[in-house]
Amino acid sequence: MKIRPASLTLASAIALASAGLSPVALAELRDVPVTGAAVTTELTGTVEVVNLDKRMLTIRTPEGEFVVLHVPDEVTRLDEVKIGNTLNVSKTEAVLIDLQKGSDAGTVGMTKEREVARDPGAKPAGAIVDTLTLYGKIEAVDREASTVTVRGPNRTLVFTVEDQALIDSVAPGDGVVATYITAIDGFVTFE
């Protein structure tokens, strides 16, 4: 299993979009986000067990490790996966943080979205993109302590801000938008 962390700039957000993250999942990127990060995990192995009833696959990695995967209901061609096939799965997790100012700023809430893209080819393949967007309101700014208090949909949290220019640019009433994106992309190779 390989893990690749990366800073997320606008260029890498565009690269993520072209690599499989849907335009809808990235629609929140109306402006350049204040900050972001992404981590990609890759898993390749030989299918050892297929349990259709429990929607589980057990694969053996090239290193000899056994990994059990739960297969979401959105995967419709699980019955085509057989013992001995090779499974390749890539999971990218990204977070984007943005600030909002103006009359629409400071709305508190949450939205969830799931998109499924199926590859119509001969081999089972596709992607699932989950997007969770949290909207918060800045309640207080402590410039001396470099902290910002944000009220979110479920609780109020205090964050330390390392960038002094950023903390100088925010005020109570401004909005904070945190978008969490998880994209799972996979395909099966028949042996």
Side-chain angles (χ1 to χ4, degrees):
M1 187 177 326
K2 298 179 195 169
I3 299 175
R4 293 181 288 153
S7 281
L8 189 64
T9 63
L10 181 59
S12 56
I14 292 168
L16 282 173
S18 64
L21 285 179
S22 71
V24 174
L26 293 175
E28 298 297 322
L29 289 176
R30 289 185 280 284
D31 299 302
V32 176
V34 172
T35 190
V39 175
T40 297
T41 306
E42 296 174 348
L43 179 64
T44 299
T46 304
V47 176
E48 298 289 326
V49 176
V50 179
N51 186 329
L52 296 176
D53 294 331
K54 294 186 178 182
R55 301 193 60 79
M56 305 286 265
L57 291 177
T58 302
I59 67 169
R60 183 176 32 87
T61 67
E63 297 80 26
E65 178 184 352
F66 288 90
V67 179
V68 178
L69 301 173
H70 176 267
V71 181
D73 292 336
E74 289 84 0
V75 175
T76 58
R77 296 172 65 185
L78 180 59
D79 60 332
E80 295 179 29
V81 178
K82 305 296 181 204
I83 294 171
N85 291 160
T86 300
L87 177 66
N88 296 281
V89 178
S90 175
K91 179 179 180 180
T92 299
E93 296 176 289
V95 61
L96 305 170
I97 308 295
D98 201 4
L99 295 174
Q100 294 180 333
K101 294 185 176 283
S103 60
D104 293 337
T107 303
V108 176
M110 172 177 55
T111 61
K112 291 182 184 180
E113 225 178 286
R114 172 170 272 188
E115 290 187 46
V116 178
R118 292 177 178 84
D119 185 348
K123 301 173 187 173
I128 298 173
V129 179
D130 289 315
T131 304
L132 171 66
T133 305
L134 301 173
Y135 301 90
K137 180 178 182 177
I138 296 178
E139 297 286 320
V141 178
D142 185 338
R143 287 172 179 33
E144 285 189 27
S146 292
T147 61
V148 176
T149 304
V150 179
R151 180 170 48 94
N154 297 319
R155 62 182 178 224
T156 300
L157 298 169
V158 177
F159 296 95
T160 301
V161 179
E162 294 179 18
D163 183 349
Q164 190 61 41
L166 180 59
I167 201 162
D168 289 341
S169 71
V170 298
D174 288 349
V176 177
V177 180
T179 304
Y180 301 91
I181 302 166
T182 303
I184 299 173
D185 186 14
F187 64 93
V188 173
T189 306
F190 298 132
E191 297 297 323

